[in-house]
């Protein structure tokens, strides 16, 4: 199944690109996608992530995905925020305390640095390290830069039945 010039509306923005699916076992997929003005707040709403974090802003960029069976072979992309940026608040106190301990920054100071953090520039690099999806994020705003390295362990697709 090959879909060229694919376009759809999602997260109050748009996605376009191409998709190729080979339906023989193991099922494989190859996609090259371009995202335009995805609303991050809508993502947080749709995936019910309010307990972990809140974020506003819009992102655009590219993503390449190749799977073989349930395993990701390629996951590579770059997204960037659109003007004027947005606001990031990490609400998961346990996560913040653990991050503060690793950076040796006092927990209270670390927590305050991710409370209503206003960014004007934001980037997300999506990648794959072994079976883990990684998001390398960087933000910059009046309060200074913030960087987060997020690892989604054992990142696989669900088997097609």
């Amino acid at each position: 199944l090959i879909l060229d010039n694919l376009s759809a509306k999602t997260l109050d923005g748009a996605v376009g690109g191409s998709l190729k699916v080979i339906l023989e076992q193991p099922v494989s997929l190859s996609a090259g996608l371009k995202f335009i003005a995805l609303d991050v707040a809508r993502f947080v709403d749709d995936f019910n992530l309010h307990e972990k974090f809140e974020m506003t802003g819009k992102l655009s960029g590219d993503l390449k995905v190749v799977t073989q069976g349930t395993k990701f072979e390629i996951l590579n992309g770059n997204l960037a925020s659109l003007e004027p940026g947005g606001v990031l608040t990490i609400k998961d106190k346990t996560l913040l305390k653990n991050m503060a301990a690793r950076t040796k920054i006092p927990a209270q100071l670390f927590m305050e640095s991710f409370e209503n953090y206003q960014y004007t520039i934001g980037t997300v690099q999506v990648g794959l390290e072994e079976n883990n999806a990684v998001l390398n994020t960087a933000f910059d705003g009046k309060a200074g830069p913030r960087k987060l390295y997020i690892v989604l362990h054992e990142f696989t697709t669900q088997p097609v039945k």
Side-chain angles (χ1 to χ4, degrees), residues 40-160:
V40 180
R42 176 74 188 269
F43 175 83
V44 172
D45 285 343
D46 288 357
F47 289 92
N48 198 24
L49 298 171
H50 290 283
E51 290 180 16
K52 301 286 183 192
F53 74 101
E54 289 189 2
M55 189 170 177
T56 63
K58 294 188 183 265
L59 295 172
S60 292
D62 300 305
L63 181 69
K64 182 175 181 177
V65 178
V66 176
T67 67
Q68 182 69 29
T70 60
K71 186 175 186 225
F72 279 83
E73 300 287 331
I74 297 172
L75 180 62
N76 188 5
N78 290 292
L79 299 166
S81 64
L82 303 178
E83 288 185 14
V87 177
L88 169 63
T89 299
I90 298 178
K91 298 167 84 175
D92 185 328
K93 301 298 183 202
T94 303
L95 173 66
L96 287 169
K97 286 178 183 175
N98 291 339
M99 290 183 344
R102 282 193 296 273
T103 61
K104 304 208 184 338
I105 296 173
Q108 187 61 33
L109 181 63
F110 195 85
M111 285 190 238
E112 288 172 3
S113 75
F114 282 104
E115 188 172 308
N116 293 318
Y117 172 71
Q118 295 184 13
Y119 66 93
T120 53
I121 298 170
T123 61
V124 179
Q125 293 178 319
V126 181
L128 194 61
E129 291 178 4
E130 298 177 16
N131 281 344
N132 305 319
V134 294
L135 304 172
N136 193 2
T137 68
F139 300 96
D140 203 356
K142 287 182 182 177
R146 304 287 188 273
K147 292 184 179 184
L148 295 170
Y149 188 75
I150 302 163
V151 179
L152 304 171
H153 296 280
E154 300 301 320
F155 192 71
T156 60
T157 65
Q158 295 297 316
V160 177

Side-chain angles (χ1 to χ4, degrees), residues 2-11 14-21 29-38 59-67 72 74-80 124 126 155:
I2 299 172
L3 301 171
D4 283 325
N5 298 317
L6 175 69
S7 67
K9 298 220 180 269
T10 186
L11 301 175
V15 62
S18 62
L19 175 71
K20 178 180 176 182
V21 180
L29 173 136
S30 175
L33 304 172
K34 181 172 184 67
F35 299 101
I36 302 164
L38 300 182
L59 295 172
S60 292
D62 300 305
L63 181 69
K64 182 175 181 177
V65 178
V66 176
T67 67
F72 279 83
I74 297 172
L75 180 62
N76 188 5
N78 290 292
L79 299 166
V124 179
V126 181
F155 192 71

